[in-house]
Amino acid sequence: MSTIDQDLSVAVAHHQAGRLEVAAAVYQQILEIEPGQSDALHLLGLTHYQSGRSEEGALWIVRAIAENPGMVEALVNLGIVLADLGRRDESVASLRRALALDPRHVGARMALGNALMLLERFDEALDGYRH
């Protein structure tokens, strides 16, 4: 296991334990060594979002997706963050991208339904929930 992988495991453990500041610091250390490390970018974005800094969180997650466009979880989380920010059309687009990559992703389906409900596109939301 590489040092980056070990550091990422440590950061994730802190993140899962709710120690967001510690996790964010470790993610930042990883990014100092490997600036394009998409998992660290994505998870750093989540720590910002979970700390109430949604705009900043979205920016980090967008960077993660730029590094790795196939990151389904990052696309889902970006969709959730964007919906929270009131950027619902962008949220729907991100969630549809995630579902194009993984049509069976239940979290993406639920988040898409929620975003469509906020847009008052009720029939589409119900279809998504049923799917």
Side-chain angles (χ1 to χ4, degrees), residues 41 44-63 77-78 80-87 90:
L41 290 164
L44 181 59
L46 279 184
T47 63
H48 287 294
Y49 172 65
Q50 292 166 328
S51 299
R53 298 185 313 269
S54 299
E55 285 286 348
E56 193 173 352
L59 294 173
W60 285 107
I61 297 171
V62 166
R63 284 184 57 192
N77 286 323
L78 179 61
I80 291 167
V81 173
L82 291 171
D84 188 55
L85 289 167
R87 295 164 54 185
E90 292 172 82

Side-chain angles (χ1 to χ4, degrees), residues 61-62 65 71-82 87-101 108 112:
I61 297 171
V62 166
I65 294 166
M71 286 185 78
V72 173
E73 288 304 319
L75 288 162
V76 172
N77 286 323
L78 179 61
I80 291 167
V81 173
L82 291 171
R87 295 164 54 185
R88 295 181 181 118
D89 288 324
E90 292 172 82
S91 170
V92 168
S94 184
L95 294 162
R96 289 190 193 274
R97 274 182 64 196
L99 286 167
L101 294 168
L112 178 59

Side-chain angles (χ1 to χ4, degrees), residues 18 21-22 38 41 65 77 83 94-95 100 106 111 121 125 127-128 131:
E21 289 182 26
V22 176
S38 57
L41 290 164
I65 294 166
N77 286 323
S94 184
L95 294 162
V106 175
R121 292 163 54 183
D127 286 343
H131 196 288

